[in-house]
Amino acid sequence: STMARLQLSAVAACAVLLALAAPSLAGDPDMLQDVCVADLKSCESSCGLNGFPCKADITADDFFFAGLKKAGNTNNPAGSNVTAANVQSFPGVNTLGVSMARIDYAPGGQNPPHTHPRATEIIFVLEGVLEVGFITTANKLFTKTITVGDVFVFPRGLVHFQQNRGHGPASVIAGFNSQLQGTQAIATTLFAAAPPVPSDVLAKAFRVGTEDIDAVKAKFK
């Protein structure tokens, strides 16, 4: 019947629209103009946009970032430092769906287990030897020892880590398919949230006493 054909056409149209939209679900939304350099000053207090508004007056410097040249300071408990080239420090990538970072590791340092809710990450080793890995939602660990010139990829949203296994410093360049990948470090999220996650909740989750949880929390203050 005519009505059945119309219904079938509507279903087919929806399927096509979903298929066309699917690639955009893998990262940031598609850009609607050539460039949109982030106007960070307009969002210093708050910004009601999913992203940043465009700056009116732009120059070539808005599309340039020199912050990845030098190693970061790894003198901290993790023994690592992440230098980000995302929209917050590199406004030219606004709406482009890409960003980078440099990660430096002291001997024995690590980039602790964490996730990027908005991006897949791919790393290229500049220096050193690293053990890297990610854990799937089925709790399967995929790990590899990588060295200079090697590349490894961490799927979007999965818990992953990097540990320096060499005798000297190590460093990588990371790429993301988002202008602002977001980073949620597992230990910091659980033990240093504000306001804090109740200790009895964590004690039950980790099957330990609340005094053990409180002791760990104290290390993150």
Side-chain angles (χ1 to χ4, degrees):
S1 67
T2 301
M3 182 61 68
R5 285 196 299 271
L6 287 173
Q7 289 175 338
L8 183 60
S9 297
V11 171
C14 289
V16 170
L17 287 173
L18 287 173
L20 291 173
S24 69
L25 300 178
D28 295 350
D30 287 340
M31 54 200 283
L32 300 177
Q33 54 206 30
D34 288 346
V35 297
C36 176
V37 175
D39 186 357
L40 299 178
K41 291 184 178 179
S42 69
C43 292
E44 285 180 346
S45 56
S46 65
C47 195
L49 299 172
N50 185 17
F52 296 90
C54 306
K55 189 167 75 170
D57 298 318
I58 63 175
T59 70
D61 286 340
D62 290 311
F63 304 96
F64 171 80
F65 184 77
L68 303 187
K69 291 180 180 179
K70 297 180 179 179
N73 183 4
T74 58
N75 185 22
N76 55 61
S80 67
N81 183 279
V82 179
T83 304
N86 57 40
V87 69
Q88 293 178 324
S89 57
F90 187 12
V93 302
N94 192 42
T95 75
L96 301 184
V98 294
S99 61
M100 298 178 70
R102 173 179 176 141
I103 312 171
D104 294 286
Y105 316 80
Q110 69 167 206
N111 192 6
H114 62 282
T115 70
H116 300 300
R118 295 186 288 275
T120 290
E121 175 182 3
I122 188 167
I123 61 171
F124 174 84
V125 183
L126 296 174
E127 178 184 15
V129 179
L130 294 162
E131 180 181 357
V132 302
F134 65 86
I135 305 162
T136 69
T137 56
N139 295 325
K140 181 173 178 60
L141 171 65
F142 291 87
T143 186
K144 185 85 173 173
T145 298
I146 59 177
T147 188
V148 178
D150 289 342
V151 173
F152 196 85
V153 66
F154 306 101
R156 174 184 175 182
L158 296 186
V159 175
H160 59 282
F161 62 88
Q162 301 109 35
Q163 176 85 35
N164 186 353
R165 293 299 190 194
H167 298 294
S171 60
V172 305
I173 293 293
F176 304 93
N177 64 332
S178 171
Q179 67 180 32
L180 189 61
Q181 75 279 6
T183 300
Q184 194 164 36
I186 306 305
T188 304
T189 297
L190 293 175
F191 297 106
V197 179
S199 292
D200 63 327
V201 171
L202 294 176
K204 189 171 185 64
F206 284 96
R207 302 174 188 177
V208 297
T210 55
E211 65 279 3
D212 297 315
I213 296 298
D214 291 336
V216 175
K217 282 184 175 181
K219 295 181 181 295
F220 283 86
K221 289 183 178 179

